[in-house]
Amino acid sequence: MDKFVIQGGNPLIGKVTISGSKNSALPILAATLLTPEECIIHRVPDLSDIRYMLEILKFLGAQVHYEKGTVRVKNKMINWIAPYDLVRKMRASICILGPLIARCGKARVSLPGGCVIGDRPIDLHISGLQKLGANIDIIKGDVVAQGGQLRGTTINLRGPYGSTVLGTDNVMMAACRSEGTTIIEGAACEPEVEDLAKFLVSMGAKISGIGSQRLIIEGVKELHGSEYTIITDRIEAGTFAVGAAMTKGDLFLEQAPVNHMTSVLGKLQDCGVTIQVEENGLRVSRSGPLKAFEIVTSSYPGFPTDMQAQFCAMATIACGKSKVVENIFPNRFMHISELKRLGANIELSKNEVHIYGTERLSGAPVMASDLRASAALVLAGLVADNTTEVHRVYHIDRGYERIDEKLLSVGAMIKRVYSKT
Ligand code: EPZ
């Protein structure tokens, strides 16, 4: 398993180009199952999660060609049973459930396991699809669905922790080819859900209320192929913005989706970070002290849970006591014990951490555990004294396109050490 060896102390200075959004690309690739015609998707980031999704589509019978960020995919004849060994590797593959039921009238997809950020239930996905008329059972760890003709209805997708992103995706995709009109109340309105809705409309779907918590979908008989460019990744951009803030750097984030980053950029400005919106991106720099802050994660447009770990890393060197409350995945704190190994002063209780900023962190070997926690450890390594080794960086490769090369290009002292194991 590869590791990163990071020598802390250099400011990040220069330009980074932000890649296409992973969390947009995955459901949009799944949505191509809804048509036998060719779809061409541009700005697809080269990530292991994307590769898994393409493998799943191929297993289902798709012709797939992926080159220089563009995927050409044609789902002519498809089978309806997803491969266990691939689905288990990537929880997000659950978003093939809705399109498979809509296209084939049936589906068999393994239940996504839990993961380090917590239990990952899909009760809202299942109840939403059942309301559309799908018969769904759990058999030997698989979700087994028989759809027949789906019929539109009103569905509320709000759960105990707010709306469900992939649940909204699944129900919206199935509703596009259901008979009649479906109203989704409490829909997730993350930019990635909006991007999927726009892609579906480009395929001939009839969806209104896009970007709101109330989606109205008029089912159509067929959907056609489409050529579409995915939005850029607000979480990758936010991660590099935090890197510039932590290292007292000056980064231009080319193609950063500024309009999708309001809560994160506002919080950075509160911390004393300079944010300048420019023609084709965003400039982030810091010269003064880094102020402590409070964040409470919530559904979009609130502060995103996917930026929580990175802000925890920043809080470890801010002046004063910061407070972070995690309301989406209450156990999403795998990064805390590893940050403490670097000398951070953190108190964790339930879904809340209090972080007391220190002068310096000191380098040490740390273990990546999930995608965003791993990014937080890399950020901490950029400012820690001496050397930090981040092990199991395959977690990072799932969601950040060549992050080591991008960091190297703006002055970070980071090296990927390949290992055969
Ligand atoms: C998506 O996951 C993202 N993944 C996650 O990003 C992101 O953290 C999450 O949305 C929240 O924004 C992709 O888009 C591929 P949810 P998703 O269903 O859809 C509960 C990353 O780092 N819930 O919106 O799986 C659930 O337990 C990843 O890029 C139910 O109770 O998340 C959680 O507490 C990590 N029942 C909350 O809702 C359900 O049926 C939000 O989960 C579904 C979810």
Side-chain angles (χ1 to χ4, degrees):
M1 290 178 214
D2 299 357
K3 65 183 177 183
F4 287 156
V5 178
I6 304 168
Q7 192 65 36
N10 279 14
L12 300 184
I13 296 175
K15 179 179 91 169
V16 168
T17 302
I18 300 303
S19 301
S21 162
K22 164 181 84 81
N23 291 351
S24 234
L26 292 169
I28 283 176
L29 289 170
T32 63
L33 289 164
L34 289 164
T35 178
E37 296 180 13
E38 182 176 62
C39 292
I40 303 171
I41 317 289
H42 299 294
R43 201 152 58 193
V44 178
D46 189 359
L47 306 167
S48 47
D49 273 10
I50 297 295
R51 299 273 174 184
Y52 286 142
M53 180 59 84
L54 296 179
E55 283 309 304
I56 291 170
L57 293 182
K58 279 187 224 164
F59 185 92
L60 295 172
Q63 292 164 0
V64 173
H65 180 75
Y66 179 33
E67 192 177 7
K68 296 195 182 78
T70 293
V71 170
R72 307 175 79 95
V73 56
K74 196 185 273 189
N75 290 290
K76 266 276 183 241
M77 287 303 294
I78 59 180
N79 75 47
W80 50 281
I81 302 176
Y84 170 85
D85 59 330
L86 279 175
V87 170
R88 290 289 293 153
K89 282 183 184 161
M90 181 184 62
R91 189 192 169 283
S93 33
I94 194 66
C95 66
I96 65 173
L97 185 60
L100 271 184
I101 295 173
R103 176 79 184 276
C104 305
K106 51 189 175 182
R108 184 166 188 139
V109 183
S110 91
L111 269 174
C115 64
V116 288
I117 66 178
D119 180 25
R120 305 296 294 274
I122 58 166
D123 55 303
L124 297 170
H125 299 234
I126 289 174
S127 60
L129 293 166
Q130 285 173 328
K131 288 200 179 91
L132 285 173
N135 300 314
I136 296 183
D137 296 302
I138 306 296
I139 301 173
K140 294 187 184 145
D142 284 351
V143 179
V144 181
Q146 304 283 346
Q149 178 51 56
L150 299 177
R151 278 184 184 69
T153 182
T154 297
I155 298 165
N156 190 316
L157 282 179
R158 260 188 208 88
Y161 298 97
S163 305
T164 163
V165 169
L166 292 181
T168 301
D169 294 348
N170 258 329
V171 172
M172 176 166 62
M173 288 189 276
C176 284
R177 287 196 51 182
S178 302
E179 243 171 39
T181 301
T182 298
I183 296 175
I184 302 179
E185 301 284 4
C189 44
E190 271 67 6
E192 297 77 23
V193 176
E194 182 178 344
D195 210 24
L196 171 64
K198 288 177 178 170
F199 173 63
L200 290 166
V201 166
S202 76
M203 295 171 78
K206 294 192 174 119
I207 306 173
S208 55
I210 294 177
S212 80
Q213 294 206 335
R214 188 171 193 267
L215 295 172
I216 300 168
I217 300 136
E218 264 182 74
V220 292
K221 279 222 173 315
E222 300 294 330
L223 291 173
H224 53 72
S226 167
E227 182 160 6
Y228 191 79
T229 299
I230 281 172
I231 55 174
T232 53
D233 196 315
R234 62 190 170 110
I235 304 301
E236 183 194 24
T239 304
F240 278 102
V242 169
M246 290 177 69
T247 61
K248 284 190 100 169
D250 186 344
L251 273 187
F252 179 64
L253 304 178
E254 188 179 40
Q255 295 181 340
V258 178
N259 298 338
H260 299 154
M261 302 172 68
T262 309
S263 59
V264 169
L265 298 180
K267 194 51 74 176
L268 284 171
Q269 284 174 315
D270 295 348
C271 297
V273 180
T274 303
I275 303 288
Q276 290 156 289
V277 178
E278 298 188 1
E279 178 66 25
N280 181 28
L282 179 67
R283 189 163 165 214
V284 183
S285 59
R286 175 170 72 91
S287 50
L290 195 57
K291 297 175 196 152
F293 56 86
E294 294 202 3
I295 55 173
V296 180
T297 66
S298 64
S299 305
Y300 192 84
F303 190 91
T305 175
D306 292 347
M307 283 299 304
Q308 179 256 105
Q310 299 91 316
F311 268 68
C312 284
M314 186 167 75
T316 64
I317 56 165
C319 306
K321 172 187 157 188
S322 299
K323 180 175 159 189
V324 175
V325 180
E326 172 57 67
N327 285 331
I328 305 294
F329 295 108
N331 301 320
R332 192 175 195 170
F333 289 112
M334 291 298 287
H335 42 290
I336 297 301
S337 50
E338 296 304 302
L339 287 172
K340 284 180 173 176
R341 286 177 49 75
L342 300 176
N345 182 357
I346 305 175
E347 286 164 4
L348 166 62
S349 76
K350 296 199 185 80
N351 67 324
E352 193 170 307
V353 284
H354 293 182
I355 303 173
Y356 303 85
T358 49
E359 269 297 298
R360 313 284 305 164
L361 295 176
S362 52
V366 289
M367 190 72 76
S369 53
D370 73 275
L371 173 53
R372 307 306 173 181
S374 318
L377 297 178
V378 172
L379 292 173
L382 295 176
V383 299
D385 285 341
N386 309 317
T387 304
T388 296
E389 289 192 355
V390 182
H391 293 261
R392 299 188 179 175
V393 292
Y394 63 85
H395 288 292
I396 297 183
D397 294 333
R398 299 189 49 174
Y400 289 92
E401 196 174 34
R402 299 189 308 280
I403 191 171
D404 46 330
E405 293 171 28
K406 291 188 179 184
L407 285 170
L408 210 55
S409 73
V410 289
M413 290 182 281
I414 181 169
K415 193 170 65 173
R416 180 188 289 260
V417 176
Y418 296 90
S419 74
K420 290 195 181 51
T421 50

